[in-house]
């Protein structure tokens, strides 16, 4: 018995001498931009409920207070168009010592107009948030994610994979840019142990459409226009349509796979119904046919099917 007690004491002493895992080791931290509403808020809550620590980016004080009230969430004042705020957030996370396992580039805006009628300033604003904002945050937070050998995931849209409808060239163009950005950035990050993905939602409940209409109407009022019955009706119809969509729970499920699965995908198309899936895939098939219509090196039908079979089997050449 004496030898057993002696062995137990020695074992306990050795165990206590081992370095203990810190909270940062046990709890991965993820930064989400645009976390105040919609997809960003849903994902922040999902991550927090699953025990992850979320740095939730938002611009307004009331949104920051609401996010701070959620367990496992640290609200961060973060406007992705402000280099100063982005740099301050990166410095704060580094000073906290929590590390950063992942960055979710979610902040985005809708908007735009017909090309001939639209103001350049409106197009520029969409690109300042959806394009430059993603570039700015990816550049600022990538060093932290590289240290963790973690993940970077961006919220795209099926609008970035389908042909744009009239009046949406700015928004769709910004989301098409995210597709190209994802492929290029993924190639850059792969040798550094970081996986890069894009999640492409269809129509889910968020504030992006209402915010877009409200912003346009505020600009009209600032230019001297009065709030008309037609303007009010436009906003109410937009709100009713947006609020009729499904909650973005399925989008958060895709993000969770991209962030934590051992075999994350490059692209995640997430749509609320089969109609949107068919529309998205059929558009890509039509574009493939268009790409193959011209020139002496076009594939015949059998050649196209062979390429598709190889891709489905996973035998296509590496990107």
């Amino acid at each position: 018995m004496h030898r057993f007690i002696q062995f137990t004491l020695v074992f306990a002493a050795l165990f206590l001498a081992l370095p203990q895992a810190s909270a940062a080791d046990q709890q991965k931290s993820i930064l989400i931009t645009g976390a105040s509403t919609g997809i960003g808020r849903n994902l922040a809550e999902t991550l927090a409920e699953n025990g992850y620590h979320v740095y939730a980016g938002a611009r307004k004080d009331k949104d920051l207070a609401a996010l701070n009230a959620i367990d496992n969430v640290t609200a961060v004042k973060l406007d992705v168009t402000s280099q100063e705020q982005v740099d301050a957030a990166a410095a704060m996370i580094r000073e906290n010592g929590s590390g950063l396992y992942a960055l979710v580039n979610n902040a985005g805006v809708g908007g735009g107009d017909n090309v001939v009628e639209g103001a350049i300033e409106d197009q520029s604003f969409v690109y300042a948030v959806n394009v430059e904002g993603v570039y700015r945050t990816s550049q600022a937070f990538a060093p932290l994610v590289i240290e963790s050998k973690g993940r970077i995931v961006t919220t795209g849209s099926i609008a970035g994979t389908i042909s744009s409808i009239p009046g949406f060239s700015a928004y769709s163009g910004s989301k098409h840019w995210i597709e190209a950005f994802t492929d290029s950035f993924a190639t850059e990050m792969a040798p550094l142990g970081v996986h890069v993905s894009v999640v492409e939602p269809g129509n889910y409940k968020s504030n992006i459409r209402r915010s877009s209409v409200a912003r346009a109407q505020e600009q009209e009022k600032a230019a001297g226009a009065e709030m008309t019955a037609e303007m009010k009706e436009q906003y109410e119809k937009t709100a009713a349509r947006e609020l009729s969509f499904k909650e973005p729970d399925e989008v958060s499920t895709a993000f969770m796979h991209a962030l934590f699965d051992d075999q994350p995908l490059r692209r995640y198309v997430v749509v609320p119904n089969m109609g949107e899936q068919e529309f998205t895939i059929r558009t890509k098939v039509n574009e493939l046919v268009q790409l193959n219509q011209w020139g002496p090196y076009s594939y015949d039908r059998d050649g196209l099917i062979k390429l598709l079979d190889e891709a489905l089997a996973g035998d296509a050449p590496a990107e």
Side-chain angles (χ1 to χ4, degrees), residues 13-252:
L14 289 171
F15 177 80
L16 291 172
L18 292 173
Q20 299 299 298
S22 66
D25 294 327
Q26 296 170 345
Q27 188 182 45
K28 287 184 169 71
S29 289
I30 297 97
L31 170 66
I32 305 173
T33 67
S36 58
T37 60
I39 290 170
R41 178 61 176 266
N42 189 288
L43 178 59
E45 293 175 352
T46 299
L47 287 165
E49 288 169 1
N50 281 275
Y52 297 101
H53 174 232
V54 179
Y55 288 109
R59 296 180 298 111
K60 300 177 182 177
D61 290 341
K62 65 180 182 64
D63 293 329
L64 293 167
L67 289 164
N68 265 329
I70 304 172
D71 290 342
N72 290 330
V73 172
T74 301
V76 180
K77 192 169 187 61
L78 186 56
D79 180 343
V80 299
T81 66
S82 168
Q83 189 66 53
E84 182 180 0
Q85 288 189 19
V86 170
D87 290 343
M92 181 270 288
I93 293 173
R94 187 170 290 282
E95 290 170 6
N96 278 358
S98 63
L100 188 66
Y101 169 73
L103 165 66
V104 175
N105 285 311
N106 176 70
V109 296
D113 202 343
N114 295 324
V115 174
V116 175
E117 302 170 355
I120 292 294
E121 292 78 9
D122 294 342
Q123 315 296 304
S124 298
F125 177 71
V126 172
Y127 277 77
V129 178
N130 295 3
V131 173
E132 293 174 15
V134 170
Y135 204 100
R136 180 177 289 108
T137 52
S138 296
Q139 193 174 69
F141 296 105
L144 285 161
V145 178
I146 290 169
E147 290 174 12
S148 302
K149 295 191 181 300
R151 308 281 170 92
I152 296 176
V153 189
T154 302
T155 303
S157 170
I158 60 171
T161 64
I162 62 179
S163 300
S164 181
I165 61 177
F168 281 83
S169 61
Y171 178 74
S172 294
S174 71
K175 294 302 183 179
H176 274 76
W177 176 87
I178 285 173
E179 297 295 316
F181 169 80
T182 296
D183 287 333
S184 180
F185 197 34
T187 304
E188 293 176 22
M189 291 292 102
L192 302 174
V194 175
H195 195 280
V196 177
S197 299
V198 57
V199 174
E200 302 147 331
N203 287 307
Y204 287 91
K205 188 180 294 185
S206 73
N207 283 349
I208 192 168
R209 300 161 191 84
R210 282 170 285 172
S211 296
S212 176
V213 172
R215 187 172 63 252
Q217 292 181 351
E218 285 299 321
Q219 289 173 345
E220 290 186 35
K221 288 193 289 184
E226 294 184 1
M227 185 71 170
T228 65
E230 289 78 13
M231 292 168 65
K232 184 178 180 181
E233 182 182 7
Q234 181 190 18
Y235 181 83
E236 289 175 349
K237 285 183 176 179
T238 300
R241 179 171 179 266
E242 194 163 54
L243 291 171
S244 71
F245 295 147
K246 294 172 65 176
E247 294 289 345
D249 298 330
E250 296 160 352
V251 184
S252 289

